[in-house]
Amino acid sequence: MPDRDLARVHLRELWTEHLASSFPPSARGKEVGSIDLVLLDADVAGYVDSAVREGNTHPAIDPEAVASLAVDLDVVLLTLTGDSADYFQAVRRMCHALREVL
């Protein structure tokens, strides 16, 4: 199986895990700097959902926007702890998996 196909399978697996998880209550309404955690999660989820539903990468996914989300995830993970940190580490892994299929 080509590397890109493996990356798509990995992204689908991470997406399935994400859908089974719950957003941590401690992160609701929280901002790190000017980064709203709910919006950050929703932005990554929207891009991943589009890529997974298409069975290929969605043409409207902007790789630069995804890269910017990856940077935001790195920033917020510097300050998060506990369940919030675990949750956003998983979102970060999913974002990086998305970058591999773009």
Side-chain angles (χ1 to χ4, degrees), residues 1 4-15 101:
M1 186 179 296
R4 187 163 272 186
D5 290 341
L6 286 174
R8 286 187 182 108
V9 168
H10 182 63
L11 179 62
R12 274 191 236 103
E13 290 170 352
L14 293 173
W15 181 234
V101 301

Side-chain angles (χ1 to χ4, degrees), residues 9-48:
V9 168
H10 182 63
L11 179 62
R12 274 191 236 103
E13 290 170 352
L14 293 173
W15 181 234
T16 299
E17 290 172 12
H18 183 74
L19 291 175
S21 68
S22 297
F23 192 86
S26 61
R28 290 189 184 120
K30 185 174 180 177
E31 291 186 6
V32 174
S34 62
I35 303 167
D36 183 302
L37 297 182
V38 171
L39 293 178
L40 179 59
D41 179 53
D43 287 344
V44 173
Y47 282 130
V48 171

Side-chain angles (χ1 to χ4, degrees), residues 11 42-52 58 60-62 65-66 69 98:
L11 179 62
D43 287 344
V44 173
Y47 282 130
V48 171
D49 183 59
S50 293
V52 168
H58 190 281
I61 297 175
D62 178 6
V66 176
L69 292 171
L98 175 60

Side-chain angles (χ1 to χ4, degrees), residues 30 32-33 35 37 40 70-82 84-86 88-89 92:
K30 185 174 180 177
V32 174
I35 303 167
L37 297 182
L40 179 59
V71 169
D72 287 350
L73 285 161
D74 289 341
V75 169
V76 302
L77 282 165
L78 293 173
T79 63
L80 297 179
T81 59
S84 293
D86 294 341
F88 279 94
Q89 277 288 0
R92 182 181 180 274

